[in-house]
Amino acid sequence: MNPRLILFLLFCAAIVSATAALAQDKGSVDAKPLPPLANPNDPKLGAKELFGRKVLPAAMQTRVVGFYAKGCIAGAEALPIDGKTWQVMRLSRNRNWAHPDMVALLERLAAKAHKEAGWPGILIGDMSQPRGGPMFTGHASHQVGLDADIWLTPMPNRQLSRNEREEMSAVMMVRSDRLDIDPGVWTPNHLTVIRAAAQEPSVQRIFVNAAIKKALCREAKGDRSWLSKVRPMYGHDYHFHIRIKCPAGSGECEGQSPPSESEGCSAGDLAYWFKDSTIHPKPPKVPPKPKPPMTLAQMPAACRQVLAAPDAKQ
Ligand SMILES: [Zn+2]
């Protein structure tokens, strides 16, 4: 895709959704480029303004810098927007970039979803920006090329149009009372796909809605050790989130301690998520002050180099 077109699409994505970029949020094929920054060196400027304007990865060796929610990546690779068993959604966001290990994992998982779950393939949501970093919309994490969102809606058996990739919605998997999955849409194949992802040795955590975790706990047969990697998380009603470990040789990558080995399936483990105060949180009496965005100075120093590097050749 040509870089000017991508900038144009990025601008559109930014105005369409100012606060969140969820699987069900739409993008647009008809967008304007992001305007240049008046003062790119303003120390208060959100780093998302800088990273969100990068259309291509840094021409550097692959390098993961920092933590999932505070970092960047050089030498990211794009997942091709079409594979035999996958399609990338919301192309206007230009977030189909990741560490090459993640790209390879998604390709493997797509093939498994086809072979083992009988899906035509998988739909891929947000991965990372070309140089990672914070984003204009959604996601505290996804900053270092080691996180990816997979839709819980199987890929249709045909190539989606550009417009469909922006407009099509994922299917809500959680029942309206939020206490369990919607049996009208949940299938054993959903477990097969999530299990295939969790059984990948490089995967550290998978985030799903608590109702989905409950269903996995109830339905998993045989080896259940993979369940420990699948963690309940707010949102994630329409997609699941895969996080991989720091790849070997990534000395600047800040990992996360592994999840406990417990399946996390006991009533006590899940109690918090199904409390009324969690499912229907009361709005705070005093609205919280909006947090200032993360600045470049707050990020690992090497992210400056990643930002300043020339564009990688395509
Ligand atoms: Zn995610």
Side-chain angles (χ1 to χ4, degrees):
M1 219 187 294
N2 106 26
R4 287 189 57 178
L5 175 65
I6 292 177
L7 266 180
F8 175 72
L9 296 171
L10 279 171
F11 178 71
C12 169
I15 55 170
V16 162
S17 174
T19 53
L22 308 168
Q24 69 276 21
D25 283 352
K26 292 177 182 170
S28 170
V29 289
D30 173 30
K32 293 198 177 62
L34 282 167
L37 289 165
N39 185 1
N41 298 317
D42 177 354
K44 288 205 187 104
L45 185 72
K48 63 185 175 189
E49 299 283 350
L50 302 164
F51 283 96
R53 280 175 171 74
K54 291 294 179 188
V55 169
L56 289 168
M60 296 167 72
Q61 276 209 315
T62 303
R63 194 166 154 190
V64 177
V65 181
F67 186 64
Y68 301 96
K70 193 190 261 194
C72 59
I73 177 169
E77 197 177 297
L79 176 70
I81 62 171
D82 288 299
K84 253 202 223 150
T85 50
W86 75 85
Q87 294 182 49
V88 175
M89 302 300 283
R90 305 296 189 260
L91 301 178
S92 61
R93 295 182 188 164
N94 193 27
R95 293 180 182 169
N96 57 320
W97 299 88
H99 188 279
D101 288 3
M102 175 60 100
V103 172
L105 181 146
L106 292 173
E107 297 187 6
R108 236 174 10 250
L109 178 65
K112 273 195 194 163
H114 178 67
K115 207 168 147 218
E116 293 172 19
W119 286 10
I122 55 175
L123 297 176
I124 316 266
D126 284 353
M127 296 161 60
S128 292
Q129 301 179 127
R131 302 189 191 196
M135 300 178 180
F136 282 110
T137 52
H139 309 299
S141 66
H142 289 251
Q143 293 196 22
V144 288
L146 306 179
D147 293 286
D149 290 342
I150 312 294
W151 284 29
L152 286 162
T153 309
M155 184 184 92
N157 206 356
R158 65 187 173 84
Q159 194 184 31
L160 295 168
S161 69
R162 288 299 303 270
N163 199 50
E164 284 175 307
R165 292 184 201 220
E166 302 297 340
E167 298 268 327
M168 193 180 127
S169 288
V171 174
M172 162 60 116
M173 304 307 297
V174 179
R175 205 168 67 188
S176 57
D177 66 6
R178 317 279 308 153
L179 298 175
D180 212 318
I181 43 88
D182 177 349
V185 292
W186 175 261
T187 69
N189 292 328
H190 286 91
L191 179 145
T192 305
V193 173
I194 297 171
R195 182 182 58 201
Q199 286 177 334
E200 285 279 343
S202 65
V203 169
Q204 210 222 18
R205 279 174 165 70
I206 287 178
F207 300 120
V208 295
N209 182 274
I212 295 173
K213 170 80 188 193
K214 190 198 246 184
L216 297 172
C217 288
R218 184 169 59 221
E219 295 172 16
K221 303 273 182 310
D223 172 25
R224 289 169 59 92
S225 57
W226 56 275
L227 282 167
S228 64
K229 292 189 191 173
V230 185
R231 321 284 292 178
M233 188 49 73
Y234 299 99
H236 299 86
D237 309 358
Y238 299 79
H239 74 272
F240 68 102
H241 174 133
I242 300 179
R243 171 167 295 171
I244 62 172
K245 298 172 196 165
C246 285
S250 304
E252 298 161 291
C253 176
E254 240 179 88
Q256 196 174 11
S257 52
S260 94
E261 276 174 32
S262 135
E263 287 179 1
C265 289
S266 74
D269 289 331
L270 293 170
Y272 165 80
W273 294 99
F274 296 108
K275 280 198 308 195
D276 192 57
S277 55
T278 307
I279 291 182
H280 305 112
K282 284 208 182 74
K285 284 196 187 95
V286 185
K289 266 202 200 144
K291 268 208 318 221
M294 190 195 304
T295 63
L296 190 55
Q298 290 168 322
M299 297 185 65
C303 288
R304 282 181 179 278
Q305 266 169 275
V306 173
L307 260 183
D311 286 341
K313 284 200 192 73
Q314 275 195 300

